[in-house]
Each structure stands twice: as C-alpha cells, then as structure tokens.
Amino acid sequence: MKMLFNNLQRQRLTEHLEQVTQHILQACHQHEKGLYWLSPYYTSATTYDFKVTTDLFQGNSGIALFFLARYSYSGSQADLHIAQRTMDFVADHLAQNSPQAFGLFTGLSGVIYTYIRLFELGSDPQYLDRAHALALTYQDQLVRHTIKADLLSGYSGSLFVLTLLQHYRPDPALIQLIQQLIDRLVQEARPSEKGLKWDYNQSKSAYDSLTGFSHGASGIAYMLLQLAEYFDNEALLYLAEEALLYEMQYFHVDFDNWLDLRLGSHRLQSVNIQQWELKNFLPYIQELNSWAHGAAGIGLARHAAWRATGKAAYLDQCRSIAKKCSADILRGDRQDYTVCSGYTGLLSYMLHYPHTAQEYSGELLLHVIDKAQLQYQTAGSYNSYISAGRDDYGLLSGAAGIGYSILQLLDDRMSSVLCPRLPPAPKSVQQTIQLNLADLQRGLLEKYYPLTLQQLAEQPAMRQILDQVNGINDFENSLSDLLLQAGQAAKLRAVFALEQARNKQWKQHKGHLCYSRKNAYIKSKIQQLTSSKVSDLAQHTLVLADHVSLYLLDEVLREALALPSDKLAVLFIADEWGVSSSYIGLISMLIVQQVENTPLTGALLCDQVSNKLRSMIRKLDEDNSLKAHLSAQIRLLFESGILTTADV
C-alpha cells in the first residue's frame, strides 16, 4: 500500500516472504508430470494422513497461485516455472481423476481461475485453452451439481470465474452458462424480514442463511457486485444490495460484529430447538472476525458496495470494520494466523479500506506477519487449533496464504483471489445478460403474490403501483397504504391479506436445519404417544406447533381460490423446503382455533370443540360418538405435527 511501509519495514516483509517460500519448497514433490504438494486430511478425530488435492483452499492450485503472485511481484522466471509445472501436474491429475467439487475455492472453478491467471501473467494461450476446455467439459456440473450459492464452494464463485473466462475467450456457450447461473440465483432467492437470502436448504447447518464472505450473504453480494459492474446491470446490483440488507439483521451491537450463524452438532444439544430463538443460540455462536466469517470479510463486500453506489452508509460500515480489525489484531488472543479463519485474513480487508494509510500504521499490519512467524517458529504451525496445521501448505489454510498475503502487502495493486475483480468489460458484452430490474422485481412478486397481481390487473386505478415499488417489502407497504384509501376492492383486499399472511411465514423461515430439527423433535413426541390409547392425549396439554399458522377463509376468498364451500380455513405450514398450504374444514378449523393462542389439555379441547359444534348445529346428537370423532381428529392433527404437546 502506498506510503504505508518504509524501506526497513519492506525489508522485514521480504525476509518473512523468503522464510515462508523456503518452508513451502521443502515440502515439494517432483513427478514426471510436474510438481505437487500433499494436503493433510483427518482419518479420525486425532489422526491425519495425506492426499493430492487440486483446489485453491488447501491444494495445488492455491500453491501455484502463491508462486504466480511471487512472479507478478519479482518477475522471477523460476517462480513462473514452479507455477506452470504445478498446474501441469494438476492437469494430469484431473485427467486421471474426475473432479467431484466445482466451487471457486474448493473445486474445479479454482483450477480454471489459476489457469486464467497463468494466461494473464504469461500470455500463453495454452492455459486459456485448458481453462476453456475444463469449463465446457464440466459445464453441467458447474451449473447444476453445486448445491450452495456461496462464494467459497458454491456457484456464485463459479459465476465469477466463468465471466472472467469469457472476457478473455468470448464464447456464446460461456454466456449461456453465465445466464443459467444468474437465472438460478434469481430462482433461489428467498424473502426475509429484510432483503433477500440464499442457501436456506440442506446445504448449510445454520441458524439461518449465513452471514459472511466465504459461505454467506457478503460473498454472494460481492460476486453480484462484480457482475453488475461488468455487465452494467442494475438488476444484479439490486440483488447484491438485497443480500447485504438481509445480512444486517445479524449485526450484533454488543460484539460490534456480524454473527457466525453456523451450528454444528455441539451447538444444538442444549438449546430449545423447538422454539428456535436466536437468544438461545447466542452462547454457541462464536464472535469470530476473519476473512471467512465476520467483519473482515464482510467489509470487502461493503467496500465493493460503496464503490458501486457511493452510499455513505457502506463507507461508515467500512470505517467501523477497520476499527474492529485493528482492535482484534492488537488483542491477538487467538492462535490462528491462516487466511481463511485467522488474523492474516484481516490484512486483505485492511488493504482495501480506503483510509488505512491515513488512519493506521504499517506496524499494525506487520504485527500480524510477525506474530504469524513467531507462532510458526514456536509451535510449528500457523493454526495451533488443529494438529494438521503443521503440515498444511494451502493458500487459505496454511503457509502459502501467509506468503500470498505478504506479497499483497508489498504490492497492493496485485490481483488477489481473496477479493477478485473483473476487468473492464467491452461494450459488446454489456447487454448480453437477460435480466431486467423491472422484470426481476415483477418475477419475485409473481412468485409470492400471484393472486394479488391478478386482482391488481383488474384494478386500473391501482396497478400503476407495480411501476413504483422497489421490492417485496416496499410492495407490501405501498399496497397496504393504497388499500386504506380504496373503496371497492374487496377481492383484492382479501387475497392480498391471505398472501401477506403466507409470506410472513416465508420471511420467518430459518432454513432446512431449523425445520428438520423441529420435525425430528415433534416426531419423537409422536412416537412416545402413538402406541398409547387415544384417550391418553386427554391428559396432555396441546398447542398449535409454531411452524404452523391458521388463516380463516371467507366467501370472497373461497371464490378467488375456487374452493368448495366446506373449506373454511387454510394452514400455512413451514417445513424443510419452504411453506405449504393445507385447506381444512369445520372440525379441524375449530380444533386449531382453540389451541392457536391457548394451550389446552386434550380432554378440555375435545369438550370446547364439542360445545361449539352443538351451539352451531342444533340437531347434533348428544351421544358419545361426537367426542369419539373429535378425539380421533385431534389425534390425527397431532400425528401430522399440526398440534404438539406443551409438556415440559
């Protein structure tokens, strides 16, 4: 960074770099096809072995990228040769072993990225040919076989790499792949209380869709910001800001940081899973600040958003994040200096914060490298929390990342995969992506408010609202205000209220893990009682399960939904995959109504529903057949998970 380091400080950095380089070279293996390093992996909780990996995170492509960074800085042909020979070995290994992962840092996209960097630095077209061949050979896997949307191991990272590839090798086939991935991002966006989120499915073990740069909203937003600028596309910019808006819900003022929402099995054992309230998980959510999770990585996306929009709020967040990173560096109470999860990853943000040279000293950044070297000298590892750390030469997980970060300090203009940038786009590609902001927002509304939009089409005085709103929440607020003034709009008012109630469930949906755990909890209760007699439920206090909500239907709604007259209510049921609707009749409606807000024993519930039915239907029999029928219906609702016990 300009004016940040004096000559003596640069000399210290250079000495550290040479020590790291020699440490990495000592572990190099030679093969007739090229050079390679072995990656450690755990065979049990306490033992590990070694294997060949090709990824950026821990494997050979990441180490090649380190030597390419050395070549970029020094111009040494020896460094370029090492990188080339390493990627020759990677090519041979992939020819013998089909890739199983396709993300940027953990799979094939990272290999493609490294070949592109070889081309950028050496202008040898053979590396671009290799990148292009890999992309087309595995195009189906790159588009469809990656579950996650995230930057580290998901398809948003692949989206960036494919866009970079088509920049140098224009190809309609690559544009088609890029379009398919953008379409997938749009399709998989889900509403939240604020903004949009991704990865609500089984791909993440988390309290909610994650925050953070590697696996969360910031990384997705960062890639969208890159593409928005490249393709000059305001719809992609909108999606990026929606992702950042979602993430702000999990900024924790006391921590001055964003919550790490990951939940391993150890974090799920002693909390009230059934309620799934954030306060119950806070003791298990680490206050981690790193490139992967927490403020430092999130700052990279906030800085990119500030550059793209000029909004002061993003720069204010950047300033606060720099203070957070500075304080954490000086505190230094963790023994992890790796790029991904340790202190070295904080340097990437500090290099991009626009006021680092004015507000912080070079010694602050050097302090990280000094402490990393000291820890390696004393503990033999850049990450003392894992035993395999001493044998890890990876870019994000080990020694290559230390060297790569030193090179970024020596030359802050150097390209970095930790916050990659797309080059300026030729005008010919800026209109090649088919995604219009108005169409995007209309598509989201059609997904969650289809009946409301149908009714608006029949209201000429109101349908112009669709040209004025900015997103789902703005649509809801604007239409609510408009309906307060409207006279004759009964059907519109009815279907809007219905769909708004359903979408409240969507906004509160916390993802696959939440409901898989809740359902497992409920099923365990069911199993405890299903072998019992029906009358046994009479002694248990029953409640409406909190993943279910009741909405009553009137004649206007039944007509709009084309439902028979015996359907009197709808249950909105959240599950692992989303929110479904179940239409119910009189008896089920009355049962659910009684326990919607007030827990009741099975016996009392049966009595209350029986009394209501008799008051509604005068000629109803007074014998025990009614209560037997009600008990059976209560048990059916219990066994389907609609009702559950409130027993402690």
Side-chain angles (χ1 to χ4, degrees), residues 111-136 161-171 174:
V111 177
I112 295 172
Y113 176 85
T114 309
Y115 280 133
I116 295 172
R117 283 297 290 152
L118 270 169
F119 167 75
E120 287 178 328
L121 291 171
S123 300
D124 188 338
Q126 70 162 310
Y127 297 113
L128 203 58
D129 292 341
R130 289 187 191 181
H132 186 258
L134 284 174
L136 294 188
V161 171
L162 290 171
T163 305
L164 183 63
L165 177 59
Q166 74 81 35
H167 177 81
Y168 293 112
R169 176 67 70 85
D171 184 345
L174 292 175

Side-chain angles (χ1 to χ4, degrees), residues 285-553:
I285 295 175
Q286 294 181 4
E287 197 252 308
L288 180 63
N289 180 16
S290 67
W291 175 86
H293 300 276
I298 287 170
L300 294 172
R302 291 321 196 270
H303 176 254
W306 172 66
R307 289 182 62 255
T309 67
K311 293 180 180 178
Y314 292 131
L315 185 58
D316 290 342
Q317 291 166 10
C318 288
R319 186 172 292 108
S320 297
I321 290 168
K323 291 179 181 178
K324 170 71 174 174
C325 290
S326 173
D328 286 351
I329 288 170
L330 294 175
R331 187 169 66 244
D333 55 357
R334 299 180 63 242
Q335 296 178 313
D336 183 354
Y337 286 86
T338 61
V339 165
C340 182
S341 56
Y343 290 112
T344 303
L346 275 59
L347 297 178
S348 184
Y349 173 71
M350 295 302 290
L351 282 170
H352 282 79
Y353 173 55
H355 303 304
T356 293
Q358 292 77 32
E359 298 175 6
Y360 300 96
S361 70
E363 281 299 322
L364 176 71
L365 278 61
L366 278 167
H367 181 70
V368 175
I369 302 301
D370 290 340
K371 291 292 293 291
Q373 289 299 105
L374 178 63
Q375 180 171 298
Y376 178 77
Q377 291 167 2
T378 56
S381 172
Y382 292 109
N383 184 357
S384 296
Y385 295 108
I386 56 174
S387 57
R390 63 180 58 252
D391 293 310
D392 198 324
Y393 302 93
L395 184 69
L396 264 67
S397 56
I402 307 299
Y404 191 77
S405 297
I406 293 173
L407 286 160
Q408 303 294 320
L409 294 177
L410 289 168
D411 181 4
D412 66 298
R413 296 169 297 177
M414 184 184 296
S415 174
S416 172
V417 73
L418 302 176
C419 45
R421 296 282 304 276
L422 289 168
K427 290 185 178 179
S428 59
V429 306
Q430 290 188 344
Q431 303 303 319
T432 55
I433 295 302
Q434 303 301 310
L435 186 65
N436 174 273
L437 179 58
D439 292 341
L440 167 67
Q441 294 185 334
R442 181 64 179 260
L444 289 170
L445 290 176
E446 286 175 346
K447 183 184 294 186
Y448 296 102
Y449 283 95
L451 295 175
T452 302
L453 264 58
Q454 288 177 21
Q455 292 301 315
L456 273 174
E458 300 175 10
Q459 300 280 341
M462 293 187 182
R463 61 188 177 198
Q464 74 273 11
I465 189 177
L466 295 174
D467 300 324
Q468 302 166 358
V469 298
N470 183 30
I472 291 175
N473 289 335
D474 188 34
F475 171 76
E476 291 171 342
N477 294 333
S478 298
L479 186 53
S480 295
D481 292 343
L482 192 59
L483 287 171
L484 288 175
Q485 307 165 19
Q488 303 297 321
K491 190 176 287 188
L492 171 59
R493 197 186 309 274
V495 297
F496 174 59
L498 173 76
E499 291 185 321
Q500 194 170 26
R502 181 188 62 197
N503 288 326
K504 182 179 180 181
Q505 288 283 87
W506 268 113
K507 291 179 181 182
Q508 294 173 348
H509 198 285
K510 294 298 186 288
H512 186 277
L513 180 68
C514 169
Y515 295 102
S516 65
R517 290 289 177 150
K518 282 191 175 189
N519 285 337
Y521 178 77
I522 290 171
K523 285 176 182 177
S524 69
K525 288 185 173 185
I526 294 170
Q527 289 171 357
Q528 292 172 16
L529 296 174
T530 47
S531 59
S532 306
K533 296 179 181 179
V534 173
S535 60
D536 282 352
L537 273 180
Q539 307 306 317
H540 290 274
T541 301
L542 300 175
V543 295
L544 181 65
D546 69 353
H547 66 286
V548 181
S549 63
L550 174 71
Y551 195 89
L552 302 181
L553 304 174

Side-chain angles (χ1 to χ4, degrees), residues 18-46:
E18 291 310 311
Q19 292 171 14
V20 173
T21 303
Q22 291 307 311
H23 168 58
I24 294 171
L25 286 173
Q26 288 172 5
C28 180
H29 295 263
Q30 297 205 30
H31 186 272
E32 62 179 6
K33 297 296 183 179
L35 305 176
Y36 70 96
W37 281 259
L38 293 172
S39 304
Y41 71 99
Y42 284 95
T43 55
S44 72
T46 56

Side-chain angles (χ1 to χ4, degrees), residues 198-256:
W198 285 262
D199 286 345
Y200 60 93
N201 55 32
Q202 76 275 24
S203 66
K204 299 289 172 66
S205 178
Y207 172 80
D208 198 353
S209 295
L210 291 176
T211 67
F213 199 63
S214 67
H215 288 302
S218 279
I220 296 170
Y222 182 88
M223 290 309 185
L224 285 167
L225 287 163
Q226 295 299 308
L227 268 72
E229 181 179 8
Y230 187 84
F231 291 111
D232 190 24
N233 189 289
E234 60 180 350
L236 293 172
L237 177 60
Y238 169 80
L239 287 174
E241 291 203 86
E242 287 290 293
L244 298 180
L245 187 61
Y246 161 75
E247 190 171 56
M248 281 305 299
Q249 295 174 107
Y250 291 110
F251 178 78
H252 197 281
V253 176
D254 291 344
F255 295 157
D256 195 24

